[in-house]
Amino acid sequence: MFLDILQQFWTSTGFSALTIKEVIMLVIASTLLYLAIKKGYEPYLLIPIAFGMLLTNLPLGGLMAEPVKELVKDPVTGKMVYKTKEVGGLLYYLYQGTKLGIYPPIIFLCVGAMTDFGPLIANPRSLLLGAAAQFGIFFTFIGAIFLGFTGPEAASIGIIGGADGPTALYLTTRLAPHLLGAIAVAAYSYMALVPIIQPPIMRALTTEKERKVKMQQLRPVSKKEKIIFPIVVATFSILLLPSSAPLLGMLMFGNLIRESGVVERLSNTAQNALSNIITIFLGLTVGATAKAESFLDITTIKIIVLGLIAFSIGTAAGVIFGKIMYKVSGGKVNPLIGAAGVSAVPMAARVVQKVGQKENPANFLLMHAMGPNVAGVIGSAIAAGVLLMFFGG
Amino acid sequence: MLGDKVTLSQALIVTVFSMGIVFLALLIISYIIDGFRFIFYKDNKKVDKEQKKDIKPEKSVPKETINEEDDEELIAVITAAIAASISRPASEIKVRNIRRIPTKTPIWARAGRLKQMN
């Protein structure tokens, strides 16, 4: 009798159901937590993602369980109706915001409210550096097709090269939701590794003389321009590419409430509270898609490798285009700022500042790099829009 | 537009087309911003001119012409404050219009601040 109870209790615990694959996932989640907490790699995103991974791989917790409905006969009307048998897990419901493409555009709203487009408006040509860096996306897209991924999958993998978390998540939920876990982990890891991945590429592609180029101070940008900018850019880009509307529309809306200066409270909420709330929900639920059976797969390794390639090519293309601008401008543009054309705001710009200052301590490239940096956000949102147009069905 | 199966040549077309769109879109936006600059500088010059226009009549007509007698004291104070802050004699300045800027602070916050001050 007592032994029976013990045995039943044992089978009801998660310990008895734990598989080797799940243990490996728990180790991976713990490693990510370690990197985020101890090493400070993108802690704001990696902690929720890693903990989501941890939770979803604890068996029998059912946090991501779908609700179960059954068809029963209504005793009053006699009609067949669906009745909820099991309500489903907490994270399953929170995940709907990710799955239906709600959270990533809201994050874009917050990013818009946090971003100063001033440096970009002061130097409009830096937009082209943001475009060049999107080469990484398409190079990897071709690579992924070559490796046998389907079109939508390849597009979702390529977007890692845009180094833009919300964009990558948005596109992946739309095109290849089964890869969400792997793509999120790859994208956010590389964004955390920006200071390690980018500098060698930047140095390899530029000469010392180019890196030492000191750039002229940017012109001041009026408030009027800053207010008109989001309105015009949203109108133009959404007319050109309607599929980019959720991302660009929200980004520019967020920026407008920031720059208009008359809705301080909305802008504050978007920059702080809203951004934090959505980060928690998005991170946890994206992590929760990384289930052992789908994550521990050769596909994940391929995605992680392709992601790194995407990111490196994006950086390289930006720097090469920077070199072209250096030539065309007669040596006025420091090609290093091209590396900031991958989004990863503001880390990529900071890396440019660091590498530039190492060569020439009197050099301040940060504001110049912020231009391509935010251009990269717009560029990758447009690239995502194009890919959605092709593969969105 | 495209299905799951994509051939390499289709992938190449997607790439060329997409990069073209990305460049085109950003190039056009950058020209639009150039347009901003044009408008901005024109505005700047206009503002300068307007300011110059304003200053000349000020010097020639130093008298204040304001109807509301009740506010005279307030106008005098504001005029003196402006004069002090731009360090010019008050006789050179003509106050044409005083507008109250709507306060953004909620009324309760203001009440609280007043209480603190008193």
Side-chain angles (χ1 to χ4, degrees):
Chain A
M1 174 66 189
F2 183 68
L3 273 179
D4 276 352
I5 293 174
L6 257 187
Q7 201 184 356
Q8 268 184 6
F9 173 71
W10 173 248
T11 48
S12 75
T13 64
F15 290 108
S16 68
L18 206 59
T19 63
I20 273 290
K21 279 190 167 181
E22 281 162 347
V23 174
I24 296 173
M25 288 306 289
L26 296 182
V27 172
I28 294 176
S30 310
T31 313
L32 289 176
L33 281 174
Y34 171 80
L35 290 176
I37 297 168
K38 181 83 183 170
K39 301 274 179 187
Y41 287 166
E42 290 268 321
Y44 278 91
L45 272 151
L46 273 188
I47 291 178
I49 290 180
F51 207 76
M53 272 172 92
L54 185 102
L55 289 177
T56 198
N57 286 295
L58 295 171
L60 309 181
L63 278 169
M64 274 297 263
E66 284 184 33
V68 180
K69 302 210 168 182
E70 59 181 353
L71 208 53
V72 291
K73 203 171 191 178
D74 193 305
V76 183
T77 60
K79 282 182 187 163
M80 297 301 276
V81 287
Y82 279 106
K83 200 180 154 202
T84 308
K85 197 175 165 196
E86 283 165 35
V87 284
L90 171 69
L91 290 186
Y92 168 81
Y93 288 103
L94 292 180
Y95 176 61
Q96 299 310 307
T98 311
K99 190 181 169 189
L100 301 173
I102 298 168
Y103 299 152
I106 296 181
I107 291 266
F108 249 53
L109 189 163
C110 305
V111 171
M114 288 183 227
T115 308
D116 177 9
F117 283 105
L120 182 72
I121 300 172
N123 182 12
R125 287 308 157 265
S126 57
L127 269 157
L128 297 180
L129 292 168
Q134 311 308 322
F135 262 119
I137 295 178
F138 296 101
F139 186 89
T140 314
F141 168 73
I142 295 179
I145 294 280
F146 192 73
L147 282 179
F149 285 99
T150 66
E153 285 173 349
S156 307
I157 296 167
I159 203 79
I160 298 173
D164 198 326
T167 309
L169 296 179
Y170 182 75
L171 195 71
T172 310
T173 52
R174 284 291 146 107
L175 299 182
H178 55 288
L179 299 181
L180 194 60
I183 286 176
V185 169
Y188 283 112
S189 320
Y190 293 134
M191 274 151 68
L193 294 175
V194 163
I196 297 165
I197 300 173
Q198 285 201 318
I201 300 170
M202 290 157 74
R203 273 194 286 269
L205 289 173
T206 49
T207 64
E208 202 184 324
K209 190 183 155 207
E210 285 167 344
R211 289 197 292 273
K212 279 190 172 159
V213 170
K214 214 171 148 182
M215 290 182 71
Q216 280 175 351
Q217 227 187 339
L218 292 168
R219 75 172 173 96
V221 174
S222 71
K223 196 180 163 201
K224 216 183 276 173
E225 284 172 287
K226 284 187 175 179
I227 294 173
I228 298 167
F229 178 81
I231 303 170
V232 171
V233 171
T235 310
F236 167 73
S237 0
I238 295 170
L239 282 176
L240 181 75
L241 210 62
S243 49
S244 69
L247 291 174
L248 279 175
M250 286 292 113
L251 181 74
M252 293 305 159
F253 170 63
N255 192 246
L256 181 65
I257 60 175
R258 170 203 174 93
E259 301 297 353
S260 68
V262 289
V263 282
E264 197 79 11
R265 293 202 302 273
L266 301 191
S267 160
N268 270 339
T269 305
Q271 288 182 35
N272 302 297
L274 184 64
S275 150
N276 294 335
I277 293 167
I278 301 297
T279 302
I280 291 174
F281 288 166
L282 188 71
L284 265 181
T285 56
V286 159
T289 61
K291 283 208 163 158
E293 57 266 28
S294 59
F295 193 85
L296 288 181
D297 192 48
I298 187 79
T299 311
T300 301
I301 295 171
K302 281 187 197 162
I303 290 173
I304 286 172
V305 173
L306 282 168
L308 180 64
I309 296 172
F311 193 73
S312 310
I313 300 266
T315 305
V319 175
I320 291 169
F321 206 80
K323 279 171 83 95
I324 296 173
M325 287 182 81
Y326 166 82
K327 288 264 154 58
V328 172
S329 67
K332 277 187 193 158
V333 173
N334 189 319
L336 287 180
I337 65 167
V342 298
S343 322
V345 183
M347 262 109 51
R350 276 198 211 131
V351 169
V352 171
Q353 161 74 12
K354 244 187 195 165
V355 175
Q357 205 158 38
K358 219 176 184 180
E359 301 285 338
N360 180 356
N363 211 352
F364 289 94
L365 292 176
L366 186 68
M367 284 324 269
H368 298 282
M370 278 313 280
N373 211 182
V374 296
V377 179
I378 301 175
S380 52
I382 294 177
V386 181
L387 289 169
L388 261 181
M389 183 193 79
F390 273 118
F391 299 107
Chain B
M1 204 180 281
L2 288 173
D4 277 1
K5 285 256 184 283
V6 179
T7 61
L8 268 184
S9 60
Q10 276 177 322
L12 270 175
I13 293 169
V14 169
T15 300
V16 171
F17 181 82
S18 308
M19 276 314 291
I21 292 282
V22 172
F23 261 103
L24 185 78
L26 293 181
L27 191 70
I28 294 175
I29 295 174
S30 85
Y31 280 118
I32 294 174
I33 299 173
D34 277 343
F36 282 7
R37 175 156 43 181
F38 182 65
I39 297 164
F40 168 71
Y41 279 122
K42 229 167 70 181
D43 269 0
N44 215 10
K45 278 173 202 158
K46 260 189 202 166
V47 170
D48 280 352
K49 273 182 195 165
E50 275 168 14
Q51 275 173 351
K52 273 175 202 162
K53 269 183 201 163
D54 278 356
I55 288 167
K56 275 177 197 165
E58 270 170 24
K59 280 182 182 165
S60 56
V61 193
K63 273 186 186 174
E64 293 184 358
T65 48
I66 284 140
N67 328 339
E68 296 144 273
E69 301 222 336
D70 292 352
D71 287 341
E72 253 178 20
E73 202 175 313
L74 181 66
I75 293 160
V77 170
I78 292 175
T79 313
I82 297 170
S85 76
I86 63 173
S87 48
R88 272 199 195 169
S91 55
E92 278 185 20
I93 298 167
K94 176 176 142 196
V95 175
R96 280 183 177 155
N97 189 6
I98 297 171
R99 246 187 317 147
R100 183 182 286 279
I101 295 168
T103 170
K104 276 188 223 156
T105 325
I107 192 140
W108 289 111
R110 258 188 294 151
R113 251 175 244 163
L114 277 174
K115 210 175 174 188
Q116 290 282 325
M117 279 193 273
N118 298 330

